Amino acid sequence: MKIVFMGTPDFSVPVLRQLVMDGYNIAACITQPDRPVGRKKVMTPPPVKVEAMKHGIPVLQPERIRNQEEIERVLGYEPDLVVTAAYGQILPNDILEKPAYGCINVHASLLPKYRGGAPIHQSIIDGEKETGITIMYMVEKLDAGDILTQVRVPILEEDHVGSMHDKLSAAGAKLLSETIPALIKGEITPQKQDETKVTFARNITREMEKMDWSKTGEELYNQVRGLNPWPVAFTTLQQKPLKVWRAKKVNVATEHESGTVIEIRDDSFVVATGNQTALEIMELQPSGKKRMTAEDFLRGAGSSLKTGMKLGDENE
């Protein structure tokens, strides 16, 4: 069994590692090109490239996988199976139709829900109680191929994107390890996706990171954990950006206008939200400073914070 693996971020690494542990012949890894990272714009390889090089696996980094030259390079490895996990590009039919066992993808949601590039973020933002992994055939349409296998993974109240990323990555590696042998033996009957139940989880935009204090405390709590640890929700305080890393739901009923600081505690502060609810801010990052607890903020940069001040007010 000769496999070509395609993946890019940290999510893909345990999946690649599992294929190596299972003893498959990984003929090549296809990943995105090195990119400049940080303020100093240091050229940095994607995590899959780093992992592949540890195992001596050849690496290709095409800017566009759909170029004919790149297609021929991939097919030159004569793969029996192509496995992708968060690769970041849609494969052309020339590649999809060639391997004997097809091209399969490890996707971090229970398809047909949350097709697209941010399924982990969106499932938490939406307050879902569970998500999962789907392994499906790839087609020339975003996450629309027939489903081979799925596994459910609960989303706990304290989970955030970082914790669910790690749980789902591990679940994806395990499910793939179980799926490939069954696929080869012809023991899996692919299931078409129910198009009436399709939802999308598009890539997170700057506007989606901005906290709208007219939303309920529950909605904002889910937004904060649905954007932690990246890209992180933000608001403004005295016309300066303020990232909110961690918050807590509180059982407080208030008549104050949304966004108003209504209580300052020893280690946190409480902000009025929509529908007469509130949100407790536990960890944050003022503009130009490092991430800190609300307790440290109130002792230092936020020592002037008073009840009655407003967050997110464009006209403050």
Side-chain angles (χ1 to χ4, degrees), residues 112-166:
K113 290 186 75 173
Y114 299 121
R115 292 179 181 175
I120 304 176
H121 294 78
Q122 198 62 57
S123 60
I124 297 174
I125 291 170
D126 289 350
E128 298 280 3
K129 301 302 182 188
E130 71 169 9
T131 181
I133 290 289
T134 299
I135 296 180
M136 81 286 192
Y137 280 126
M138 298 184 71
V139 294
E140 255 193 327
K141 185 179 176 184
L142 184 65
D143 301 325
D146 292 353
I147 294 170
L148 297 172
T149 52
Q150 290 184 314
V151 63
R152 297 180 182 277
V153 179
I155 301 176
L156 305 180
E157 185 68 25
E158 64 273 20
D159 273 323
H160 48 73
V161 168
S163 62
M164 288 308 301
H165 171 281
D166 293 347

Side-chain angles (χ1 to χ4, degrees), residues 27 31 61 80 94 110 144 172 178-179 226 232 240 250 253 262 278 297:
T31 188
Q61 296 179 274
D80 301 303
D94 288 342
L110 296 172
E178 298 164 354
T179 299
V232 185
K240 293 181 179 178
V250 286
I262 59 173
F297 173 72

Side-chain angles (χ1 to χ4, degrees), residues 21-52:
M21 289 172 58
D22 287 347
Y24 294 110
N25 175 11
I26 313 299
C29 279
I30 319 298
T31 188
Q32 298 282 2
D34 296 2
R35 304 289 189 201
V37 172
R39 291 182 178 178
K40 295 184 178 179
K41 305 294 183 186
V42 177
M43 291 300 290
T44 304
V48 160
K49 179 180 180 180
V50 175
E51 184 67 20

